[in-house]
Amino acid sequence: MSVATRVIPCLDVAAGRVVKGVNFLNLRDAGDPVELAKRYYEQGADEVTFLDVTATVEDRATMYETVTATAEQVFIPLTVGGGVRSADDVGRLLGFGADKVGVNSAAIARPELLGEIADRFGAQVLVLSLDVKRSERTPSGFVVTTHGGRTETDLDALAWAREAIERGAGELLVNSIDADGTKQGFDLEMVAAMRELSTVPMIASGGAGALEHFAPAIQAGADAVLAASVFHNAELTVGQVKDALRAEGVMVR
């Protein structure tokens, strides 16, 4: 049975406001997260992803009030990431209204965290968030970064994704730092490489700028497509993206 492709708006939040930059730099205000999430829900979004982009950088926990306010108005799965360091943090976020929780830096620092979260809450709750850059330093040609792409690790992105799935990650959110905010299209080579190894659903992120960018990401192997600025700037609606996918023979909800 084939599963419908999901279209997921992403809200990058800093200090309680939605922000957007290019390659994670020069962040500018893009609106109120609760209002935007509600707009996307009404447009037919399948999920909303909510990333506290400065949580790890500023060493601060995700803003729980915004999560709760969003969950009260948006009746689709809500994934929340940013500043998650322990299974207790995950429990707290789920209590405040999140359905899934994204983990990135803390899992790199201590991979055992993935198993702890999956054992306690189930793999379906755990999303491994990967910020990936092209690099000649790793065998696959892709390296994992942290702190919004500012810090390169020594981890090969494909090897880390494989390990994370083995440890209990139930979904991969794969963001191309190179493509992020450029609106030149998804990194299809990266998507295809991740698809080859992944036994769990994969969300492609980074680079969406036009309707014709979405179907190729699904054809390359993504189960869902995520975008931010094209939705925040009202250049595209969720419905338009779904129509464009349908026109290319992609099944959507």
Side-chain angles (χ1 to χ4, degrees), residues 63-124:
M63 298 151 299
Y64 298 115
E65 312 81 61
T66 314
V67 176
T68 300
T70 305
E72 284 169 355
Q73 300 204 29
V74 174
F75 306 103
I76 48 178
L78 179 61
T79 300
V80 183
V84 175
R85 292 180 186 80
S86 67
D88 286 345
D89 288 345
V90 173
R92 206 168 295 130
L93 279 168
L94 296 175
F96 277 94
D99 297 284
K100 297 189 274 189
V101 175
V103 181
N104 182 347
S105 304
I108 292 166
R110 197 172 68 83
E112 297 78 18
L113 176 62
L114 296 170
E116 292 163 11
I117 295 168
D119 290 346
R120 190 159 146 195
F121 302 106
Q124 78 286 347

Side-chain angles (χ1 to χ4, degrees), residues 6 8 47 49 77 79 100-103 114 123-130 161 164-165 168-174 198-204 223-224:
R6 290 167 289 150
I8 306 174
E47 297 181 14
T49 291
T79 300
K100 297 189 274 189
V101 175
V103 181
L114 296 170
Q124 78 286 347
V125 159
L126 177 57
V127 181
L128 180 76
S129 188
L130 285 154
I165 292 166
E171 188 164 42
L172 301 179
L173 167 51
V174 188
S198 182
T199 53
V200 300
M202 178 187 48
I203 304 164
D223 299 280

Side-chain angles (χ1 to χ4, degrees), residues 24-200:
F24 278 85
L25 301 171
N26 306 318
L27 299 178
R28 62 175 196 281
D29 190 286
D32 174 75
V34 183
E35 283 173 24
L36 284 173
K38 195 175 176 203
R39 182 203 299 170
Y40 302 141
Y41 166 60
E42 288 165 355
Q43 285 179 8
D46 299 296
E47 297 181 14
V48 168
T49 291
F50 181 101
L51 297 177
D52 190 347
V53 290
T54 54
T56 308
V57 181
E58 294 171 6
D59 199 38
R60 163 183 56 69
T62 305
M63 298 151 299
Y64 298 115
E65 312 81 61
T66 314
V67 176
T68 300
T70 305
E72 284 169 355
Q73 300 204 29
V74 174
F75 306 103
I76 48 178
L78 179 61
T79 300
V80 183
V84 175
R85 292 180 186 80
S86 67
D88 286 345
D89 288 345
V90 173
R92 206 168 295 130
L93 279 168
L94 296 175
F96 277 94
D99 297 284
K100 297 189 274 189
V101 175
V103 181
N104 182 347
S105 304
I108 292 166
R110 197 172 68 83
E112 297 78 18
L113 176 62
L114 296 170
E116 292 163 11
I117 295 168
D119 290 346
R120 190 159 146 195
F121 302 106
Q124 78 286 347
V125 159
L126 177 57
V127 181
L128 180 76
S129 188
L130 285 154
D131 288 330
V132 178
K133 257 184 187 168
R134 288 174 174 266
S135 169
E136 292 173 1
R137 291 171 41 232
T138 61
S140 71
F142 297 104
V143 69
V144 175
T145 70
T146 62
H147 299 78
R150 286 185 276 278
T151 309
E152 280 193 27
T153 68
D154 294 321
L155 291 174
D156 182 295
L158 300 191
W160 171 233
R162 192 179 286 115
E163 179 185 341
I165 292 166
E166 285 166 5
R167 287 180 178 272
E171 188 164 42
L172 301 179
L173 167 51
V174 188
N175 183 46
S176 167
I177 293 294
D178 303 306
D180 180 78
T182 64
K183 300 191 180 178
Q184 299 299 303
F186 294 92
D187 186 333
L188 301 178
E189 196 183 323
M190 183 188 78
V191 171
M194 283 286 174
R195 173 76 284 151
E196 226 164 273
L197 69 87
S198 182
T199 53
V200 300

